[in-house]
Amino acid sequence: MIYFDNSATTKPHDEVLHTFLEVNNNYFANPASIHAFGVEVNELLEAARNQIAHIIKTKPEHVLFTSGGTESNNFAIFGVAKKNKHIGKHIITTEIEHASVLEAYKTLEKDGYEVEYLSVNNKGVISIDELCSKLRKDTILVSMMHVNNEMGAIQPIEEAAKIIHQHSRAIFHVDAVQSFGKLKVQFNGDVGPDIITISGHKIHGIKGTGIIAFQRKLNIAPLIVGGGQEFGLRSGTVPVPQVVALAKACRIATEHLQENYAKFTKWRDHLMDFFNTFGDHIYLLSTKEGAPHILSFSVRDLKGEVIINALQKRGVIVSTSSACSSKQKKTSHVVEALNVDSHFKEGVIRISFGAKNTEEEIEQFKEIFKEVMKELKGV
């Protein structure tokens, strides 16, 4: 099997699974317990927190552990909105965010918050001028994904941060679920985000692990209340085996970032050139300015499901769009925002690379895709 759906989820590294099992077996005490065993487990928890804080350049007490990207995004959005509504109720996001952001914003809109959406160009990138024009004195939050999960567009995070911090009091939340471990993701003063959200299973970690991190202490309301764990902001017994495994996945991803970036760029560019040989039968949604691990394209007048099934019969796993919405029948909101021609709207396919893919698989895919195009399009 050739697995090219790594933006949906990744296979955990063996080292990550080993760490998870070892900690589960040997360090299973509750880290909040005051006995010696609990203290020992808490030391493991704080060591993992320190490692991640070092990677993203913040203080350990500004790193909180969650169940994944959706919870982290919800936490950032609802937490900031609830705690800062005395300043204003104006919030901004983009048209092409993940559902965990867009649905949170829609919920707030029903609760009386004023939401504005930034448009994108045909490369999936926002306009800094439009962002600047929408910022107001009562803007309290701007949420923006670093890398789009469906077609890989990279947003100008540093420019956006600078404008947001210069022209408003808004907190800048960056959804880094698709960028962490593939691009450099760190806090960087006024030219960086205030909040970063990360998911473990996108970087060969285990499912059910995530991070919400802050550049500094923020006025944010807890999403989950109870025993006061995670500095009173995210109650519930902290699953230390998952956290330690997540820290391991983060270290591996950042240690191999440059190596994987070069490899993915080579593969993406090579496949783009390959797809271009089919002329107007294929339309590329992704660009070479985007993230190298995501390549989205569409086949004229074919539904994505048809292409997926034809590839799957030959042992290739890809997706139609984001895994969270691929079972829905309607056209992706990202495809709509990009103004994709009607002949290509229903045939969008996403290839996404991971650390376990190989050069040989790229070449195998090309031959298989030729067979599929001959079968479905006669070319």
Side-chain angles (χ1 to χ4, degrees), residues 316-334:
V316 177
I317 305 299
V318 296
S319 66
T320 50
S321 58
S322 71
C324 303
S325 61
S326 59
K327 292 181 181 179
Q328 298 178 14
K329 300 300 181 184
K330 62 183 181 180
T331 304
S332 155
H333 67 288
V334 175

Side-chain angles (χ1 to χ4, degrees), residues 28-267:
F28 54 83
N30 190 321
S33 298
I34 62 171
H35 50 65
F37 194 12
V39 170
E40 186 179 18
V41 173
N42 189 63
E43 288 173 353
L44 266 182
L45 168 62
E46 295 311 317
R49 198 188 309 276
N50 272 277
Q51 289 165 6
I52 293 168
H54 177 73
I55 289 170
I56 59 178
K57 306 298 182 189
T58 192
K59 293 179 179 179
E61 60 267 30
H62 296 161
V63 175
L64 277 62
F65 298 108
T66 71
S67 64
T70 292
E71 184 193 329
S72 294
N73 285 338
N74 273 237
F75 189 175
I77 294 163
F78 290 126
V80 169
K82 181 178 180 181
K83 204 71 172 180
N84 293 275
K85 60 184 178 181
H86 62 286
I87 298 172
K89 299 182 80 172
H90 180 244
I91 54 180
I92 298 172
T93 190
T94 83
E95 294 179 338
I96 61 169
E97 296 301 304
H98 187 268
S100 61
V101 170
L102 290 178
E103 292 303 316
Y105 267 72
K106 288 177 184 177
T107 299
L108 288 173
E109 196 165 19
K110 292 175 184 175
D111 289 341
Y113 288 78
E114 183 183 352
V115 179
E116 291 203 69
Y117 297 90
L118 301 174
S119 60
V120 295
N121 61 21
N122 61 2
K123 294 183 178 181
V125 180
I126 66 154
S127 160
I128 291 294
D129 288 340
E130 184 186 8
L131 169 62
C132 190
S133 71
K134 286 188 178 344
L135 289 169
R136 305 186 330 210
K137 289 182 179 180
D138 61 338
T139 307
I140 58 170
L141 174 68
V142 178
S143 289
M144 189 183 298
M145 55 173 29
H146 191 184
V147 169
N148 181 262
N149 55 307
E150 294 192 30
M151 48 78 69
I154 301 173
Q155 300 303 339
I157 296 302
E158 290 188 357
E159 290 180 72
K162 189 175 180 181
I163 292 293
I164 291 165
H165 293 138
Q166 282 180 348
H167 297 276
S168 76
R169 299 167 66 185
I171 291 170
F172 185 29
H173 158 230
V174 169
D175 173 356
V177 166
Q178 289 294 344
S179 61
F180 183 81
K182 288 94 173 178
L183 304 177
K184 187 177 179 181
V185 175
Q186 293 178 337
F187 290 108
N188 190 23
D190 284 343
V191 291
D194 300 302
I195 303 176
I196 290 172
T197 46
I198 297 168
S199 175
H201 76 102
K202 307 294 189 180
I203 55 168
H204 302 278
I206 60 175
K207 294 172 184 66
T209 61
I211 297 164
I212 179 170
F214 313 104
Q215 180 169 228
R216 63 188 187 280
K217 187 175 181 180
L218 292 176
N219 203 19
I220 187 167
L223 187 64
I224 301 174
V225 296
Q229 292 90 343
E230 293 296 273
F231 313 104
L233 289 173
R234 203 274 187 182
S235 291
T237 300
V238 181
V240 177
Q242 285 94 315
V243 167
V244 177
L246 174 58
K248 171 80 81 170
C250 289
R251 290 202 308 274
I252 293 172
T254 51
E255 286 169 1
H256 295 277
L257 191 152
Q258 291 184 331
E259 168 194 337
N260 286 331
Y261 184 90
K263 183 169 62 175
F264 297 159
T265 300
K266 177 184 176 184
W267 294 346

Side-chain angles (χ1 to χ4, degrees), residues 271-321:
L271 285 181
M272 279 186 165
D273 292 341
F274 167 72
F275 288 135
N276 282 331
T277 64
F278 292 93
D280 62 3
H281 291 288
I282 288 183
Y283 173 75
L284 293 173
L285 283 77
S286 298
T287 71
K288 292 187 178 182
E289 291 85 22
H293 64 291
I294 296 175
L295 172 52
S296 288
F297 65 96
S298 182
V299 180
R300 177 183 287 272
D301 296 327
L302 276 183
K303 290 189 175 181
E305 291 82 358
V306 174
I307 305 164
I308 282 179
N309 289 335
L311 288 169
Q312 186 172 265
K313 286 177 184 177
R314 294 165 171 83
V316 177
I317 305 299
V318 296
S319 66
T320 50
S321 58

